[in-house]
Amino acid sequence: MEWGFTRFSKKHFLHLSLGLLVGCWNIQSVVAQSAKDSIFMAQIVAEALNNGHSYKQLGALCKEVGPRLSGSDNAEKGVQWAQQMLSSYGFDSVYTQPVMVPRWERGTEDRVTLLSQNLSELYKYLSENDYNCETYNEAHPKPNPLGIYGLECPALGGSVGGSVLGPLVVVNSERELDSLGGLGQLLGRVVLLNRPFEKDFINTFAAYSSCVTQRVNGAPLCAKYGATGVLVRSMSHRCDLHAHTGVTHYQAGIDSIPIAAVATGVADLLDWLYRQQWEPAQIEMQLGCQTLPDRMSANSIAETRGREFPNKIIAFGGHFDSWDEGEGAHDDGAGCMHTFEALRLLKTLGYQPRHTLRCVWWINEENGLKGALKYAELCANEGQQHIAALESDRGGFVPRGFGLDSSLLALIKPYQPWLAAYGFGELTLGGGGADVGPLKRQDPSVGLVGFIPDSQRYFDVHHAETDVFENVNRRELELGAAAVACMIYLLDQTLD
Ligand SMILES: [Zn+2]
């Protein structure tokens, strides 16, 4: 191991230094700086891969705490776990930042049922067709995807509870919805909003963005035409039987109706059934979810004080809350561990930062953003100056690079070959994320950075019961932590 590491550092140093030397007068000082930075980044990567803590702490978070829905007892258990865990590393300070968060609870007896005289036809179709659903090609070649009577349809976060029964209508676009609604054909119906992900978007977040309106605004979009309930096709490319939840909103002046997620594999079957134009199938929805009074929770923070500019802060973090269907392993346990591990790696390697480095685990990103708003508000009240803020909220997959604000992109661009040597050198314009957004709105001079891992598998598990520790790859997570640590190091070295 020792030999391989030394050899890599030398090669790396030579390659990277040459790039920086071009057009530079002060060659000696650049050589010295290049050598120092190159060797230190190699040490970061080696420490993350040889002695990393991100994977074991993510395992502890997922298995000892589990899902962390804002306002739940489990989220509070998690905040306490975080304080203990972070405190055990001897950072300069570890503290919580109290904030009130919304509290929405899923019912214990949620039930969505398909009632149809043509179920036998549906099963016949299933058995006779090579149905293009990954789940059917796995362990259970021909399961009963519709259950005996009940569908796996978790309520969307924020949905009202209630019982409704109505004929099923399936629409594949907002235009189709508006046209049927304009004809009065949604009155008293349960609508399945079935717009699928566009598979040819290479960045899967673009596919998500183009579809997610039907989940976030689905209830008012349908209720304004008299629909009584809504099912939403899960936000995923993958055809399987796992429903993906997520936040949904209502609109003042429009009835609040129950809304639930439906797995892509089931949505396709409901669509097929609907298109046969037989006697309309009925959907019965019984959701027991409810919204309770807000509850006190907290952001979790750990920091290392800067030796040169202690009052200038580089913040980096992820959100600590998650949905309740899985364990919040990728979303966003991975982001929490990337950023905690970045702070640990720099400390373990004896790095004394110029600026104060602060790891923040924001609470309530999923259904309120209260943690991020409170963080920005308190920082403004206390006159704390942020010079950069990085967010990791795209899962623990193999790191590709970073999105950066234009000022930071210009600053970091010369180091691109260095990052590329480890596979995370894709630097693109436009950084940040939901939790660092409020800092920027408050002070436009704050430079934002978004960590970008490979996106191809994120929506397989996002907000679903499959977002569990077992679906996180150790090496990919550790490389992601190394990437974040390298970026924080470069920001600390290059910013004033
Ligand atoms: Zn997230």
Side-chain angles (χ1 to χ4, degrees), residues 91-126:
F91 298 122
D92 289 344
S93 53
V94 171
Y95 54 100
T96 56
Q97 195 172 62
V99 55
M100 293 293 282
V101 296
R103 189 176 184 189
W104 173 86
E105 274 186 3
R106 186 178 304 288
T108 49
E109 308 241 330
D110 288 356
R111 195 169 171 83
V112 175
T113 312
L114 170 68
L115 307 166
S116 168
Q117 295 171 1
N118 300 296
L119 280 182
S120 56
E121 294 296 325
L122 185 63
Y123 294 139
K124 198 160 151 233
Y125 165 78
L126 260 176

Side-chain angles (χ1 to χ4, degrees), residues 319 331-332 365-366 393 458:
H319 64 85
D331 186 13
D332 184 23
E365 187 272 348
E366 295 290 5
D393 186 16
Y458 187 59

Side-chain angles (χ1 to χ4, degrees), residues 312-317 362 375 384-391 402-412 428-433 435-451 487-488 491-492 494-496:
K312 291 185 177 181
I313 297 157
I314 298 175
F316 44 101
W362 289 279
Y375 178 78
Q384 295 186 12
Q385 186 192 356
H386 284 72
I387 54 168
L390 176 149
E391 182 164 331
F402 299 87
L404 300 103
D405 280 352
S406 56
S407 59
L408 294 183
L409 185 59
L411 198 69
I412 298 298
T428 53
L429 181 63
D435 281 308
V436 293
L439 283 172
K440 181 85 173 178
R441 287 196 284 281
Q442 215 155 255
D443 176 3
S445 73
V446 181
L448 299 188
V449 187
F451 168 67
M487 178 55 65
I488 297 303
L491 292 170
D492 186 52
T494 53
L495 284 166
D496 285 329

Side-chain angles (χ1 to χ4, degrees), residues 154-201:
L156 289 177
S159 174
V160 294
S163 298
V164 299
L165 172 68
L168 172 70
V169 174
V170 181
V171 299
N172 289 302
S173 69
E174 219 170 296
R175 180 184 287 186
E176 196 180 356
L177 178 80
D178 288 335
S179 126
L180 288 177
L183 296 169
Q185 292 181 10
L186 301 183
L187 206 62
R189 305 294 206 277
V190 173
V191 180
L192 167 59
L193 297 173
N194 193 42
R195 180 175 171 182
F197 265 29
E198 289 174 55
K199 292 186 177 173
D200 52 351
F201 277 120

Side-chain angles (χ1 to χ4, degrees), residues 356-401:
T356 290
L357 303 185
R358 180 183 289 170
C359 169
V360 189
W361 291 352
W362 289 279
I363 197 79
N364 187 226
E365 187 272 348
E366 295 290 5
N367 59 342
L369 209 65
K370 299 292 187 206
L373 292 168
K374 176 60 79 178
Y375 178 78
E377 178 196 322
L378 291 177
C379 289
N381 292 347
E382 294 166 14
Q384 295 186 12
Q385 186 192 356
H386 284 72
I387 54 168
L390 176 149
E391 182 164 331
S392 169
D393 186 16
R394 290 179 170 228
F397 301 98
V398 65
R400 297 290 189 210

